[in-house]
Amino acid sequence: MDMSEKSSRITRPATCVICGRQANGYHYDVIACKGCKTFFRRMYLLKPQLECKFHKDCFNLKTIKFSAVNSVISLGQPYLRCRSCRYQKCIDVGMNSSAIQNLEDSIQPSNREISKITDSSENIKTLHSIEIKNQGVIEMLTYLETKLEEFRESAYIPKWSHISGLEDLLQSTCQFSLAEKYGPMPEWTLKKNTRTTTIQIPISERDSKTRNIRSPKIWSLCNALIATEYIKTYTFFHKLSAKDQYTLARYAILTCINLQVSYFSICHKFECCIQPDGAQEPERDEKHYSMAVMSIHPLIRCQIQLVEYLLLKAIYVCNPGKDYQLNYLILTNKIISAVPDLSQDSQIILSNERRRIVNVLFDHCLRKSKANGPARFSELLGIFHVFERQQKMQRDYYLLCIAPILPKSLENRIGFLHEIMSFESKL
């Protein structure tokens, strides 16, 4: 290759115009790194209410000192932590929001494009579009889980008096922003850096270290509140009528709690139900302990990973139906509901959303292992029968052993929890 050919090559962009780190190309019409590209796309789709806590110039690159290798010396305060300034900088430098493909829209070539391309190139484009959409779903669920954990580990302490009932909570604004307002809870037993997405066999002996920890939070209330806020974040949920939102939430909240606590526990290598402050709830000597840990052992047995956990939880929110009907439902696209009294329109909405998330899970399993992907997919879906049996046992125990002896005043006080535990599904 001669010198003229070398000089004719286009030089690859070196510096991200937003954060100053190493760029890897043009994204949404500007020179940017992958981090800023993903950040802009996520912020545009979520449209959160952002506000700078400093001087609204956190991303003024003139005030940032760089090292010799063109990377930021300090990534902390407030650089790269202020989402408001970062998003505004993306807009100011000209990032094009119209270039963002909405994840919920189908990506289909136009008739004119179809006439100009060969069958092979059309298949490549379709596969690439599916990959982009599936990765986008995983990114959104990962980001949502991060916000959920921040809220769960925050210093905000909900009280029973703060919540009048499930219906009012479903109509209220999202409360995840309270995590930023209150900040993380200081001096908790379990620190954030102990979390891992690679599951190992828990050490039973560690259970004793969690006993007799006095928690400032009422975890039964806190976890129910978080599960409710989680369900409210889904776009499809707001397409349902208010009555169907209430019915679906009562059905799904309990299993979302069980999944959340179980996955958090095994990430910290416990086989009991552990909370972020290190408290064990319930403890081994409590009657309903065996019910609470039912969902932990299947997750350990199948060595569940973060993406699989996120997709399973999303599928369950979409009302999977009876566990033994799940595979039939997925393969035939039939509408089978385990939730009584859902309207036909809502069942169709849930069926479409469930099919979309199930396809993402199947694609993820195939990408991990083409040979064992289908078997892994079936193994993960097989866990659903445990979730259904667990929530039925928990609700039966509450209705038969706890509710009859509750004083009326206490029942009214914990009405939000009573609404969840007194729900009866078609099992």
Side-chain angles (χ1 to χ4, degrees):
M1 183 181 292
D2 56 27
M3 294 300 295
S4 61
E5 287 180 302
K6 290 183 179 180
S7 60
S8 63
R9 285 187 171 182
I10 299 175
T11 303
R12 182 178 180 180
T15 305
C16 175
V17 297
I18 298 160
C19 68
R21 294 182 296 182
Q22 183 176 356
N24 70 327
Y26 286 85
H27 301 293
Y28 307 131
D29 299 341
V30 302
I31 301 171
C33 62
K34 286 186 177 181
C36 289
K37 165 200 168 185
T38 303
F39 173 82
F40 176 72
R41 178 170 172 272
R42 184 169 62 228
M43 291 299 102
Y44 176 78
L45 293 176
L46 291 178
K47 294 180 173 57
Q49 294 183 352
L50 303 174
E51 183 178 352
C52 177
K53 297 181 180 179
F54 302 98
H55 306 291
K56 298 186 178 180
D57 63 346
C58 304
F59 276 75
N60 182 359
L61 298 185
K62 295 180 181 180
T63 63
I64 305 298
K65 296 181 180 180
F66 294 88
S67 69
V69 293
N70 196 35
S71 61
V72 179
I73 291 178
S74 175
L75 299 179
Q77 303 178 359
Y79 193 71
L80 284 185
R81 297 185 63 185
C82 179
R83 295 188 300 157
S84 175
C85 290
R86 191 179 188 183
Y87 186 51
Q88 187 59 47
K89 184 66 179 290
C90 292
I91 296 173
D92 292 343
V93 299
M95 274 199 163
N96 182 9
S97 60
S98 63
I100 298 176
Q101 173 63 52
N102 191 320
L103 297 178
E104 296 193 7
D105 293 337
S106 300
I107 305 176
Q108 298 289 348
S110 64
N111 293 332
R112 183 176 299 178
E113 291 172 331
I114 294 175
S115 64
K116 292 182 179 180
I117 60 178
T118 63
D119 292 340
S120 59
S121 62
E122 180 180 352
N123 291 335
I124 292 173
K125 182 176 181 180
T126 302
L127 290 173
H128 181 62
S129 300
I130 293 174
E131 181 181 353
I132 292 174
K133 289 201 299 180
N134 290 350
Q135 184 59 36
V137 171
I138 292 172
E139 288 179 4
M140 293 289 286
L141 290 176
T142 303
Y143 175 74
L144 176 58
E145 187 71 13
T146 300
K147 303 304 293 182
L148 186 152
E149 280 299 322
E150 288 178 358
F151 184 73
R152 191 164 180 253
E153 297 172 3
S154 71
Y156 171 63
I157 302 178
K159 305 293 184 182
W160 291 113
S161 57
H162 296 170
I163 303 173
S164 57
L166 180 58
E167 285 187 276
D168 291 338
L169 186 59
L170 291 175
Q171 301 305 316
S172 64
T173 57
C174 182
Q175 299 189 39
F176 283 163
S177 60
L178 292 174
E180 294 184 6
K181 178 180 178 181
Y182 286 86
M185 184 70 80
E187 299 180 358
W188 267 4
T189 303
L190 300 180
K191 301 298 182 183
K192 263 192 172 182
N193 58 11
T194 62
R195 288 201 73 183
T196 176
T197 58
T198 302
I199 308 305
Q200 301 178 7
I201 299 299
I203 304 173
S204 304
E205 288 75 13
R206 295 183 64 188
D207 294 357
S208 60
K209 298 181 181 180
T210 67
R211 299 181 66 87
N212 301 320
I213 292 178
R214 298 191 63 181
S215 174
K217 288 195 176 186
I218 306 171
W219 284 111
S220 56
L221 170 62
C222 186
N223 290 332
L225 175 61
I226 291 170
T228 306
E229 294 297 332
Y230 167 77
I231 294 172
K232 285 165 54 180
T233 60
Y234 284 99
T235 302
F236 75 85
F237 184 75
H238 297 279
K239 297 178 182 179
L240 311 180
S241 66
K243 178 183 177 182
D244 287 343
Q245 287 181 4
Y246 177 73
T247 303
L248 180 63
R250 289 184 68 196
Y251 166 77
I253 286 174
L254 183 56
T255 293
C256 285
I257 295 171
N258 291 331
L259 261 172
Q260 179 78 28
V261 175
S262 297
Y263 184 75
F264 182 87
S265 300
I266 61 179
C267 278
H268 289 84
K269 303 180 179 65
F270 285 92
E271 61 180 12
C272 60
C273 294
I274 202 72
Q275 306 298 340
D277 60 354
Q280 179 182 336
E281 294 187 7
E283 295 187 354
R284 286 183 178 274
D285 54 359
E286 296 186 64
K287 293 182 178 180
H288 59 290
Y289 174 84
S290 59
M291 303 174 213
V293 299
M294 279 181 63
S295 53
I296 292 181
H297 299 293
L299 300 186
I300 297 173
R301 186 168 57 250
C302 72
Q303 295 285 292
I304 194 167
Q305 302 299 303
L306 174 62
V307 173
E308 296 168 340
Y309 153 73
L310 295 176
L311 291 171
L312 280 182
K313 187 162 63 167
I315 292 170
Y316 198 88
V317 173
C318 299
N319 176 26
K322 298 180 182 180
D323 57 90
Y324 59 83
Q325 294 174 326
L326 182 60
N327 290 332
Y328 171 77
L329 181 149
I330 293 170
L331 294 174
T332 62
N333 292 331
K334 298 291 184 180
I335 300 173
I336 302 174
S337 175
V339 183
D341 302 325
L342 279 181
S343 67
Q344 185 70 14
D345 289 342
S346 293
Q347 291 185 38
I348 293 173
I349 292 171
L350 292 171
S351 177
N352 292 336
E353 187 67 18
R354 176 178 60 246
R355 191 181 308 118
R356 187 171 75 97
I357 304 298
V358 165
N359 288 339
V360 177
L361 177 61
F362 185 70
D363 178 75
H364 175 77
C365 293
L366 285 180
R367 291 182 184 280
K368 288 293 183 181
S369 173
K370 289 185 178 180
N372 299 321
R376 178 62 172 175
F377 176 71
S378 298
E379 180 184 22
L380 292 171
L381 293 184
I383 303 176
F384 275 114
H385 80 279
V386 179
F387 302 153
E388 289 288 351
R389 190 156 56 94
Q390 180 185 32
Q391 70 157 332
K392 185 178 188 303
M393 292 176 64
Q394 288 173 321
R395 286 185 166 125
D396 288 346
Y397 178 79
Y398 175 83
L399 292 173
L400 296 175
C401 301
I402 298 178
I405 61 175
L406 277 180
K408 193 66 178 178
S409 58
L410 182 57
E411 181 179 324
N412 294 334
R413 184 186 174 194
I414 62 171
F416 169 53
L417 189 62
H418 181 75
E419 288 179 277
I420 297 169
M421 298 303 297
S422 60
F423 182 81
E424 295 183 12
S425 60
K426 295 177 180 179
L427 295 174

